[in-house]
Amino acid sequence: MACLASETFIKLFLVISLIQVALATRKLNELVQDQPQLLQYHNGPLLSGKISVNLIWYGKFRPSQRAIISDFITSLSPSSTSQNAQPSVATWWKTTEKYYHLTSSRRLHSSLSLSLGKQILDESYSLGKSLTSKQIVELASKGDQKNAINVVLTASDVAVEKFCLSRCGTHGSAPGKNIGHVKGTNYRFAYIWVGNSEIQCPGQCAWPFHQPIYGPQSPPLVAPNNDVGLDGMTINLASLLAGTATNPFGNGYFQGPAEAPLEAASACPGVYGKGAYPGYAGDLLVDPTTGASYNAHGSNGRKFMLPALYDPATSSCSTLV
């Protein structure tokens, strides 16, 4: 499993916001790197085919908050109604397709199509308000495991092991049940966990919508959906989805050690628009009515902030704006 940034790394590079991913845990505090590193292929399968993204809501979320995440997932599809407005979430996601055509392996040449699956609500905190990594996997296993990514989203009053200390979220895989498994592997299913940092550590996991704890200080940006916690979760979820697609089982595309890899999004930390540097997210679009910053249009008129993705075709970090 991979993690988002060590304290030493933060101090060394003046890290801004916490988000690496792992088997890709998103590293604490992102920073801009001048020369992106080439991601290597480790001969494992990528996710392919029609994959449902199931959402497991742990704790109390308002319906309006759940709608932000579900609209983001729906926006990933090229067929979503958001595509008339550019740049779009689907255009951002299209960069991941390039990873499927980099080798001669036939198993990588099939495409990936994501769609919103089932949503499970656990508003009674069935496992308590302090969760271990093992319990995150237990929650993730509640979703369908065949051709799916199960996403666990924890509420702002839920503490999770290493949350805010070294990670904002994580992705990995776990043994599946006999009822079926993620396409491309026989015994494991892919999962993601992301926490709402609004109360516990917004300066680490919700930058640039909150003042950063470390590094250069600049005024926080206005969140596009008027919810610092959920807009921060969307950034982290986007990064982890890209990592899950291209490195679902720890042997896909990544750079560095397998337990703390740089992946499609975490290889471009702190970059959201052109001209980004430590403390500055880049040149972004601004809603003239709300003053909110964003870089992608989504379904139902939504606007989102999405991280840059490493483009293997150009060996550079690709931004929408």
Side-chain angles (χ1 to χ4, degrees):
M1 192 167 296
C3 274
L4 275 178
S6 68
E7 190 171 326
T8 301
F9 186 74
I10 296 172
K11 291 180 179 179
L12 180 60
F13 291 100
L14 298 175
V15 172
I16 302 302
S17 76
L18 175 91
I19 310 172
Q20 180 195 344
V21 236
L23 214 306
T25 305
R26 275 195 94 181
K27 282 182 183 177
L28 241 182
N29 288 319
E30 299 182 319
L31 80 142
V32 177
Q33 296 180 348
D34 293 333
Q35 297 181 348
Q37 297 172 308
L38 179 66
L39 303 186
Q40 298 178 345
Y41 177 52
H42 295 78
N43 301 313
L46 309 188
L47 290 189
S48 61
K50 295 182 178 180
I51 301 291
S52 296
V53 180
N54 300 313
L55 305 178
I56 297 114
W57 299 92
Y58 189 81
K60 298 187 184 301
F61 289 88
R62 298 188 301 275
S64 59
Q65 292 181 313
R66 295 198 296 269
I68 294 171
I69 299 296
S70 58
D71 282 346
F72 166 65
I73 298 299
T74 301
S75 301
L76 292 167
S77 171
S79 61
S80 69
T81 57
S82 67
Q83 302 323 303
N84 292 329
Q86 293 292 335
S88 68
V89 174
T91 300
W92 171 82
W93 182 251
K94 201 169 181 62
T95 297
T96 63
E97 295 180 4
K98 298 181 181 182
Y99 288 83
Y100 291 74
H101 304 286
L102 294 179
T103 75
S104 59
S105 175
R106 289 185 178 181
R107 63 182 171 178
L108 297 186
H109 289 180
S110 57
S111 60
L112 170 64
S113 175
L114 297 182
S115 62
L116 181 63
K118 297 180 180 179
Q119 299 195 50
I120 300 172
L121 305 185
D122 186 342
E123 297 182 311
S124 63
Y125 304 89
S126 61
L127 299 179
K129 291 189 175 183
S130 182
L131 305 179
T132 64
S133 296
K134 183 177 180 180
Q135 288 174 314
I136 291 295
V137 176
E138 181 181 343
L139 289 171
S141 67
K142 292 184 177 183
D144 293 340
Q145 296 172 11
K146 183 178 181 180
N147 298 331
I149 301 171
N150 291 336
V151 180
V152 177
L153 302 143
T154 52
S156 59
D157 57 349
V158 176
V160 177
E161 183 179 350
K162 296 182 181 179
F163 185 37
C164 297
L165 297 177
S166 62
R167 61 184 185 174
C168 303
T170 190
H171 83 80
S173 63
K177 300 175 182 177
N178 293 327
I179 57 174
H181 311 280
V182 172
K183 194 170 185 177
T185 184
N186 293 324
Y187 303 104
R188 305 187 73 82
F189 72 92
Y191 71 88
I192 291 172
W193 158 69
V194 178
N196 185 344
S197 67
E198 182 177 13
I199 295 175
Q200 301 180 54
C201 56
Q204 295 164 303
C205 294
W207 185 85
F209 304 127
H210 192 279
Q211 201 82 9
I213 291 181
Y214 304 100
Q217 300 294 302
S218 57
L221 303 179
V222 177
N225 295 286
N226 197 34
D227 191 312
V228 170
L230 268 292
D231 279 298
M233 289 182 82
T234 303
I235 290 175
N236 294 332
L237 176 57
S239 177
L240 291 162
L241 273 173
T244 299
T246 57
N247 187 32
F249 308 112
N251 53 7
Y253 285 98
F254 67 89
Q255 168 80 12
E259 63 275 10
L262 290 180
E263 298 178 323
S266 55
C268 301
V271 179
Y272 298 93
K274 290 180 174 61
Y277 56 82
Y280 180 64
D283 300 331
L284 304 167
L285 301 175
V286 177
D287 187 302
T289 302
T290 65
S293 295
Y294 68 100
N295 59 11
H297 292 272
S299 298
N300 294 322
R302 295 276 185 193
K303 295 178 175 67
F304 296 102
M305 180 84 85
L306 302 177
L309 293 179
Y310 182 82
D311 187 336
T314 61
S315 297
S316 64
C317 292
S318 175
T319 61
L320 286 172
V321 295

